Amino acid sequence: MMADRRRQREAFGFLPLSPVAFDILLALSDGERHGYGILREVAQRGGTALRAGTLYRALSRLLGEGLLEESDERPAPDQGDERRRYYSLTPLGREVARAEASRLAGLVREALAKRVLRKADS
Amino acid sequence: MRPAPDEPGEARAYRFLLFAYPPSFRRRHGEDLVRVFADELRAAGPGRGLLARFRTLLDGGTDVLRSAPGLWIERSREALRNAPQAGEAPVRGGGGWSGDLRYALRGLRRQPGFAFSTVLTLALALGANTAFFTVADRVLLRPLPYAAPDRLVTVWDTRPADGRDHEHPSPGNFLDWSREGASFLSMTAWQDGSGAATLRSDGEARVVETVKVTPSFFRVLGVPALIGRTFDPGHERGGVFNVADRYDGGDRVVVMGHGLWTSRFGGDPGIVGRKIQLDGAPWLVIGVMPKAFVLPRPSTDLFIPWDIVPSYASFAGGPPRDFRFLNVIARLGEGRSREQAEADLQTVAARLASEHPKANAGWSVRLIGLHEEIAGSARPVLLLLTGAVFLILLLGCANVTSLQLARAAGRRREMAVRLSLGASRPRLLRQLLTESLVIGVLGGAAGLLVARLAILAMAHQGAYGWLGSEGAALDGRVLAFAAALTLGTALLFGLAPALEASRSSVTGSLQDGGHSATGGPRVRRLRTALVVGEVAVALVLLTGAGLLGRSLLRVLAVNPGFDPQGLVTLRVSLDHANYATGARARIFYGELMERLDGLPGVRGAGGVTALPLSPVGTDFARPWWRGGEADPGGLAARADIRMATPGYFKALRMTLRRGRAFTTADGDGAPRVIVVNETLARQAFGDSDPVGRRLILDYLGGAYPNEVVGVVNDVRFGSVKAAARPELFIPHAQNPYLDLTVVVRAEGDAAELVRRVQAEIRAVDPDQPAHAIALMEDLVRRSSSADRHVSLMLALFAGLALVLTATGIQGLLAFLVAQRTRELGLRQALGATPRQVGRLVLGESVRLVAAGCGTGVVVALALLPLAAGQLYEVSATDPVAWGAGVLGVLGVAFAASLLPARGAALIDPLVALRED
């Protein structure tokens, strides 16, 4: 319980996230993926247009900050069993994603209240 | 990272691009990146064609290059954060270059003042040098964009007896030269000057700049067309143009310049093979030249082939030999040197002189390399300033060396500790050189920024002609120069301090505590020598700046002979088709002048064929002699001929010295009258009154007498510095030229005036555009732009030199005071007053500066002949400039000495003596 509370506090220190970082955390929220898997997931969702260099720069940073962890290389069934490195969220990473999402949700509520955005648009 | 053997080519290329990333990132994620890229490539599909795959590579590559800089910055920040703290790691004597680098960067961060001043000094010095190299490379070094450009020469007429060494050749002589010289060179000529034609397309009329060239023009230069073709001498003979420049038959084809092609025809390649309406007639476009082709000028719009012989069919003796207006370029034959070809051509010229003495007596020829001819007057200016800017670099080096020496002295203990802990001397030397290199590279990088700004500013000032302003950019060549200069500089200022610091002896430095913290006598001698050198260089630059500044004041004070204020000028080039006879041109200009005179606020309006200081105009000279005397043949003196309207002299506010100006009564059919300037009046009639006398003018195919009705003052024609030439004015109505430069003087807004004048031109002829619109004040200013540029640059350099020298002097004196703290304290304890102690320090400064000034005077005397060519009515030994230079250096040196002297005077003897 105490650990959760500390993690929540720690998560706020990462806000606001860059769009690329948020896209990556979101892509990994329903399970681990390899690099190309992240790219595809983000592209299908219509997120930021990502390319490998930008992706790995962000991955490297998120790993360094302890929001992600990586697995050793293992075969990827969707890529002809070629060996891949998989990425997944750490508990802190999940907490940061949640905090960023609620921050954005707050902004959207604000936009609705000020009629910058109307219900029909969203 | 080893590529798999079956990896597609795109993936290999991508793998190579990854070298843009920091090594640590590449090691960790490189393979994954390549795999993701390969996945994307697969998604783009092997069956989806080359284009899709190439796009993937392009996107991927762009992405790598975009994300790499950020990673480098992040990594170097981390490296700095994680670097060992002071004195830790490098002491061990191990550690690679990256350790040295980190240590050097941290050292600079610890001394931000030192870092800032050294990097700034180097940035200014290296930037200025890079900028001048860029321009000098463009103007002087880089080969012209023609085939074998070093074989191209320009050909000029000379007449040694009158000191003429750069006159335009005549068509008659040119034809003989090209025929008889065919064995040793191939020649081409073009006719410069009025060259304006009216281009009509899509209901818009526009004046374009044309140049008539002989059909071999592009062949001789060896430049093919960008699209289409150039003239083929075997195929085109060229057009026939009569003396009044009207088309009279022959080929109606043109080659288009790159500028007109892009601005008017949107770069449409379909223009080749189409016809354009030029002066009311269709001309076939056969080719377009590349952008890099800038002869005769970058602004040339159309090249028209010119068939010389039939153009002069009406002349009794064929193409004239004494109409000197051609520009001639020749290509030297295989194995011929310029000197050989010149000697051979002079033999031909000598024969022509004896065969045609009336036109050619006393005339010979001279060949000048095309590059030398184009660089022209920019060469001495560039050499002078490049020399000056190199002195600044030496000054900068001296200053940084001096600072480094001081720093090295302060670090002897540190070095001694490291040595005692086992570091080798070469290891320490490497560490110290790395520091210098880091400073140098930072300075060099900042210098590139300075260089870019400086180049823009220089191009803006337009001091080096079009070679200097066209596309001077920081390209690979310049970057290589800047890199070499930076490394050389870093070694120059790094080596002595590094050797000095690494020379520390372990026991000595550790034993004597803080004593040698200021360095030994060797350091002192070295720094003293550097400061003496700095004072010398500062004196040279300051004196040079003083001389050129005084010269500039003289140039600006020149009275051009007319009042440029409020004068608007524009060129009208009447369409040959619509103005087929002189009578129509006379009517047009008569009506235009009447209308302009009637405009409210206009104080005067006139027209002339060649306006002073203007880049456009028909400027030529013809022979004259006094009425009643025999034709002196080839020995006749020549005067510049201008056709002018009655209002011209008044519009320019020239002074009528004697007689009268032209009136509207001096028209067609009236007696032939002329106005001469003072120089011609003096040449022709000495001190006697020329009004009412006659001059015979050999012009318009015969020798006719003209009555002098007035004398006007001399004007500066070619430039404000050029001496007045003999000038002769003919009423425009008596010799109606199609092209006139119109001048209008009025109060108020110039742009508004231009609009009103253009409206009046349209009112007389709705189809007639004006061009070359300029303010007379701008033309005057442009005429002195090179002088202003040199003066401004040298003033800047001198200022920079003074600042550098002042910091050098102050640094050295402070260092000497620190070194002598104990001695100075002792003196005070023994009864010396603070004033006496301060004077002691000032005395040191005086010795330094005296030695520097002495050296400087010697160096300046040796160098000043270089600047003499740039001086206008100022002697290179001008006492005012020299006095100001010496006083300036002394004053700055004195000011720089005050602070250290005060420091010495304020030494507390008790503290000083207790110091160990």
Side-chain angles (χ1 to χ4, degrees):
Chain A
M1 199 54 186
M2 283 295 279
D4 285 356
R5 183 110 5 111
R6 182 151 14 94
R7 198 181 297 137
Q8 273 174 18
R9 265 205 310 277
E10 201 183 331
F12 280 105
F14 288 92
L15 305 192
L17 279 183
S18 73
V20 171
F22 188 52
D23 267 335
I24 292 172
L25 294 187
L26 222 50
L28 296 176
S29 60
D30 46 6
E32 60 173 17
R33 289 176 196 275
H34 51 63
Y36 185 58
I38 300 176
L39 282 193
R40 264 190 328 201
E41 209 279 339
V42 172
Q44 278 162 13
R45 186 153 39 75
T48 334
L50 265 185
R51 295 263 164 207
T54 311
L55 171 73
Y56 275 93
R57 183 182 163 195
L59 283 179
S60 156
R61 187 174 195 144
L62 293 170
L63 283 168
E65 289 171 342
L67 303 191
L68 299 186
E69 52 196 4
E70 61 186 342
S71 74
D72 286 339
E73 296 188 7
R74 59 188 161 80
D78 60 333
Q79 297 295 330
D81 277 350
E82 206 185 336
R83 298 184 74 83
R84 294 301 171 111
R85 213 189 295 274
Y86 282 76
Y87 298 89
S88 57
L89 293 181
T90 61
L92 175 62
R94 189 166 293 280
E95 192 56 53
V96 170
R98 186 179 301 142
E100 174 71 1
S102 73
R103 184 184 72 85
L104 292 175
L107 286 179
V108 171
R109 275 196 301 278
E110 193 76 1
L112 285 168
K114 297 198 167 191
R115 296 180 173 273
V116 177
L117 186 72
R118 269 166 299 178
K119 265 280 192 279
D121 295 343
S122 55
Chain B
M1 274 205 302
R2 198 175 301 115
D6 58 341
E7 197 168 80
E10 291 92 335
R12 280 166 191 264
Y14 186 77
R15 193 181 282 282
F16 178 74
L17 280 174
L18 295 184
F19 279 98
Y21 285 129
S24 58
F25 181 82
R26 210 169 59 232
R27 272 196 300 276
R28 179 146 184 208
H29 300 292
E31 270 321 299
D32 288 341
L33 275 161
V34 176
R35 274 182 208 142
V36 170
F37 179 74
D39 291 338
E40 285 182 317
L41 212 54
R42 262 195 293 280
R48 294 263 300 282
L50 219 55
L51 201 65
R53 297 168 69 87
F54 180 69
R55 277 196 66 128
T56 311
L57 176 60
L58 201 65
D59 288 348
T62 316
D63 174 62
V64 168
L65 295 182
R66 203 178 294 150
S67 51
L71 271 165
W72 277 104
I73 292 170
E74 279 169 25
R75 295 290 140 131
S76 49
R77 263 201 212 122
E78 274 167 35
L80 279 178
R81 253 202 313 276
N82 302 335
Q85 287 313 301
E88 276 177 43
V91 175
R92 287 195 307 268
W97 285 104
S98 64
D100 284 350
L101 196 66
R102 273 204 298 275
Y103 190 73
L105 282 172
R106 205 175 57 234
L108 286 180
R109 276 154 62 103
R110 270 208 311 261
Q111 291 176 302
F114 167 79
F116 179 75
S117 54
T118 47
V119 170
L120 181 69
T121 305
L122 288 174
L124 289 175
L126 289 170
N129 274 276
T130 306
F132 272 92
F133 172 78
T134 308
V135 178
D137 180 46
R138 211 29 86 160
V139 178
L140 304 179
L141 303 178
R142 203 172 287 229
L144 296 171
Y146 312 115
D150 50 331
R151 318 248 356 119
L152 291 171
V153 294
T154 52
V155 187
W156 299 97
D157 268 359
T158 63
R159 195 173 181 183
D162 322 343
R164 294 168 191 254
D165 60 356
H166 202 264
E167 300 289 313
H168 294 276
S170 64
N173 290 343
F174 164 74
L175 290 173
D176 281 339
W177 295 343
S178 20
R179 202 168 37 246
E180 296 181 31
S183 61
F184 55 91
L185 33 65
S186 50
M187 281 195 192
T188 182
W190 75 84
Q191 182 181 352
D192 225 341
S194 56
T198 310
L199 174 74
R200 284 195 176 77
S201 56
D202 309 332
E204 182 210 358
R206 155 170 179 172
V207 175
V208 292
E209 193 177 318
T210 68
V211 56
K212 290 205 286 291
V213 303
T214 64
S216 60
F217 184 69
F218 297 105
R219 292 294 163 96
V220 169
L221 292 170
V223 183
L226 178 67
I227 49 173
R229 61 177 182 90
T230 57
F231 305 127
D232 173 2
H235 186 246
E236 270 106 15
R237 295 202 46 79
V240 178
F241 295 85
N242 67 15
V243 191
D245 219 18
R246 289 204 176 94
Y247 174 78
D248 232 11
D251 299 313
R252 253 216 261 261
V253 294
V254 294
V255 167
M256 193 173 281
H258 197 271
L260 179 66
W261 181 52
T262 47
S263 67
R264 185 64 197 80
F265 298 97
D268 173 16
I271 189 72
V272 172
R274 260 172 42 201
K275 292 194 170 165
I276 55 173
Q277 290 293 317
L278 208 57
D279 277 351
W283 289 71
L284 177 69
V285 180
I286 63 165
V288 177
M289 292 311 288
K291 188 165 195 264
F293 189 82
V294 288
L295 268 181
R297 273 180 303 277
S299 55
T300 304
D301 292 317
L302 293 172
F303 300 87
I304 295 176
W306 178 34
D307 194 357
I308 296 182
V309 177
S311 291
Y312 292 102
S314 65
F315 279 57
R321 295 180 185 278
D322 65 339
F323 283 28
R324 299 177 196 273
F325 61 89
L326 288 187
N327 292 274
V328 178
I329 288 185
R331 177 177 289 282
L332 301 174
E334 281 304 315
R336 290 285 170 146
S337 71
R338 190 185 60 78
E339 290 75 15
Q340 287 168 340
E342 185 174 74
D344 290 347
L345 202 59
Q346 279 169 350
T347 313
V348 177
R351 195 181 54 69
L352 291 176
S354 60
E355 281 177 17
H356 307 277
K358 182 162 163 35
N360 287 338
W363 289 90
S364 187
V365 291
R366 169 178 176 215
L367 305 188
I368 300 177
L370 177 61
H371 199 157
E372 196 186 328
E373 178 67 35
I374 293 177
S377 60
R379 177 189 297 265
V381 174
L382 267 178
L383 290 182
L384 177 73
L385 290 180
T386 308
V389 89
F390 187 68
L391 288 181
I392 290 286
L393 182 64
L394 290 184
L395 264 185
C397 277
N399 242 16
V400 176
T401 309
S402 196
L403 282 172
Q404 289 271 68
L405 276 173
R407 204 162 160 251
R411 289 169 69 182
R412 287 175 75 116
R413 254 175 91 90
E414 176 196 336
M415 295 300 146
V417 169
R418 287 199 195 183
L419 280 172
S420 69
L421 292 179
S424 64
R425 276 174 209 280
R427 183 67 193 74
L428 288 188
L429 196 62
R430 193 180 93 185
Q431 165 65 44
L432 291 163
L433 276 180
T434 307
E435 293 187 19
S436 294
L437 214 57
V438 166
I439 296 172
V441 168
L442 288 177
L448 284 181
L449 209 69
V450 173
R452 229 189 116 63
L453 294 176
I455 291 168
L456 285 180
M458 286 197 275
H460 182 71
Q461 282 208 321
Y464 303 113
W466 46 264
L467 267 185
S469 52
E470 286 287 306
L474 297 170
D475 56 12
R477 216 168 127 103
V478 172
L479 290 179
F481 169 84
L485 196 66
T486 302
L487 290 184
T489 306
L491 278 182
L492 193 64
F493 71 70
L495 207 53
L499 284 173
E500 182 55 38
S502 69
R503 199 179 266 148
S504 328
S505 86
V506 178
T507 44
S509 295
L510 287 180
Q511 272 169 1
D512 77 352
H515 273 263
S516 61
T518 48
R522 205 176 34 245
V523 172
R524 181 185 161 162
R525 271 200 305 276
L526 200 52
R527 292 194 68 184
T528 307
L530 286 172
V531 167
V532 168
E534 284 187 317
V535 171
V537 170
L539 179 71
V540 170
L541 288 174
L542 195 60
T543 309
L547 284 171
L548 284 156
R550 276 176 65 77
S551 163
L552 176 64
L553 289 181
R554 295 274 160 90
V555 171
L556 294 180
V558 165
N559 176 2
F562 55 87
D563 177 9
Q565 212 185 354
L567 209 53
V568 164
T569 87
L570 30 77
R571 184 88 173 159
V572 177
S573 301
L574 292 180
D575 188 320
H576 290 198
N578 292 349
Y579 293 86
T581 65
R584 301 193 60 175
R586 187 183 303 130
I587 293 166
F588 173 90
Y589 284 113
E591 187 182 341
L592 178 63
M593 291 306 148
E594 215 166 283
R595 281 173 169 272
L596 292 178
D597 270 329
L599 282 179
V602 165
R603 300 290 164 83
V608 71
T609 46
L611 184 72
L613 307 181
S614 169
V616 292
T618 323
D619 180 21
F620 60 92
R622 293 300 306 162
W624 60 264
W625 57 92
R626 278 174 293 270
E629 292 179 3
D631 179 354
L635 302 173
R638 300 159 83 87
D640 295 340
I641 309 290
R642 290 100 179 62
M643 273 42 81
T645 66
Y648 174 69
F649 303 116
K650 178 175 166 243
L652 251 63
R653 292 201 177 136
M654 288 168 68
T655 315
L656 195 63
R657 300 283 189 221
R658 283 169 186 282
R660 65 170 175 92
F662 299 135
T663 68
T664 45
D666 300 317
D668 191 28
R672 289 170 179 272
V673 293
I674 53 174
V675 166
V676 297
N677 73 349
E678 289 172 293
T679 300
L680 179 55
R682 222 177 8 256
Q683 264 184 28
F685 306 107
D687 290 334
S688 61
D689 187 355
V691 173
R693 310 274 297 268
R694 279 166 198 279
L695 283 186
I696 316 281
L697 198 56
D698 181 2
Y699 178 43
L700 301 172
Y704 301 98
N706 301 271
E707 184 188 339
V708 178
V709 294
V711 179
V712 290
N713 68 295
D714 288 339
V715 298
R716 304 287 168 130
F717 192 85
S719 92
V720 289
K721 289 199 282 187
R725 306 193 293 201
E727 286 183 287
L728 186 155
F729 296 88
I730 293 174
H732 179 259
Q734 292 189 348
N735 184 25
Y737 256 61
L738 291 185
D739 296 22
L740 275 191
T741 302
V742 173
V743 287
V744 184
R745 181 187 302 279
E747 311 278 297
D749 182 38
E752 173 59 26
L753 178 59
V754 169
R755 269 193 297 279
R756 281 159 64 200
V757 173
Q758 283 177 310
E760 292 306 321
I761 293 172
R762 270 195 302 275
V764 185
D765 180 347
D767 280 345
Q768 189 54 60
H771 60 113
I773 298 161
L775 301 183
M776 196 73 215
E777 283 170 288
D778 286 340
L779 296 181
V780 173
R781 204 171 300 131
R782 201 177 303 161
S783 176
S784 63
S785 70
D787 296 274
R788 270 178 301 136
H789 177 71
V790 182
S791 305
L792 180 71
M793 284 292 143
L794 266 191
L796 266 177
F797 296 161
L800 202 55
L802 282 183
V803 172
L804 288 175
T805 308
T807 36
I809 292 175
Q810 197 200 334
L812 177 63
L813 290 178
F815 160 84
L816 293 178
V817 168
Q819 202 178 32
R820 292 168 66 183
T821 303
R822 259 208 310 184
E823 178 212 325
L824 295 174
L826 194 62
R827 278 171 188 265
Q828 293 210 28
L830 293 178
T833 63
R835 181 178 283 271
Q836 282 167 329
V837 172
R839 219 177 270 152
L840 209 64
V841 175
L842 283 182
E844 189 85 43
S845 161
V846 168
R847 272 205 301 284
L848 280 175
V849 175
C853 280
T855 319
V857 168
V858 174
V859 175
L861 280 176
L863 289 181
L864 279 177
L866 291 179
Q870 301 304 316
L871 297 179
Y872 176 71
E873 293 185 351
V874 172
S875 145
T877 52
D878 181 63
V880 177
W882 280 79
V886 173
L887 281 181
V889 170
L890 287 179
V892 166
F894 181 71
S897 314
L898 282 181
L899 216 58
R902 199 177 121 85
L906 290 182
I907 287 173
D908 181 343
L910 287 177
V911 176
L913 293 175
R914 222 187 293 130
E915 225 176 31
D916 337 275

